[in-house]
């Protein structure tokens, strides 16, 4: 089994920015739709954003539209989530996975969740 690896989280003040990265060693991701998901304490995991494979279509949850931007790296093995104007309610563990719109599809070989990266927005 291969896991996607998330990185780039941290502690940031409200209004700040972070860029998350999602990568898979030995795999290119451009043939997969890749998305970001998050889970806050006591809440279910929710879809945040997804970028399609070839057409580059993007999808965003209403709560992050206009603040977050998903993109692919030039090396084709990384997907980024640029998060601006962060709010305390964005605090969560962020995960990446294959997706269809804002739903995790867990496609082979990425059939399990990674460790995620913690994002904490607090003053």
């Amino acid at each position: 089994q291969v896991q996607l690896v998330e990185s780039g989280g941290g502690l940031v003040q409200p209004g700040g920015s972070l860029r998350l990265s999602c990568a898979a060693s030995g795999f290119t991701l451009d043939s997969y739709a890749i998305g970001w998901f998050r889970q806050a304490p006591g809440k279910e995991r929710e879809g945040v954003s997804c970028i399609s494979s070839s057409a580059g279509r993007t999808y965003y949850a209403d709560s992050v539209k206009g603040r977050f931007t998903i993109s692919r790296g030039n090396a084709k093995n990384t997907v980024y989530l640029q998060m601006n104007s962060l709010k305390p309610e964005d605090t969560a563990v962020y995960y990446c996975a294959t997706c269809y719109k804002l739903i995790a599809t867990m496609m082979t070989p990425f059939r399990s969740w990674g460790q995620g990266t913690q994002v904490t927005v607090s003053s």
Side-chain angles (χ1 to χ4, degrees):
Q1 235 174 8
V2 180
Q3 285 187 333
L4 294 169
V5 178
E6 305 91 350
S7 63
L11 172 63
V12 63
Q13 292 186 342
S17 298
L18 284 173
R19 188 176 79 158
L20 306 184
S21 299
C22 171
S25 179
F27 285 83
T28 57
L29 299 181
D30 56 336
S31 59
Y32 300 91
I34 300 294
W36 286 95
F37 302 81
R38 67 186 181 186
Q39 187 167 21
K43 295 187 177 181
E44 292 189 358
R45 188 151 26 203
E46 62 175 351
V48 174
S49 183
C50 174
I51 185 166
S52 66
S53 55
S54 57
R57 294 187 67 177
T58 57
Y59 304 88
Y60 296 95
D62 288 343
S63 58
V64 306
K65 279 180 183 176
R67 301 188 298 122
F68 291 10
T69 303
I70 192 170
S71 63
R72 293 184 181 273
N74 292 333
K76 299 184 178 181
N77 63 346
T78 307
V79 172
Y80 299 105
L81 185 69
Q82 178 67 43
M83 306 187 297
N84 297 329
S85 303
L86 282 161
K87 304 175 180 180
E89 50 263 44
D90 295 318
T91 295
V93 179
Y94 284 70
Y95 303 87
C96 57
T98 59
C99 61
Y100 174 71
K101 295 187 179 179
L102 296 181
I103 299 170
T105 55
M106 313 307 288
M107 291 180 65
T108 300
F110 312 113
R111 297 185 63 80
S112 63
W113 293 100
Q115 295 297 310
T117 187
Q118 175 72 48
V119 172
T120 303
V121 185
S122 175
S123 55

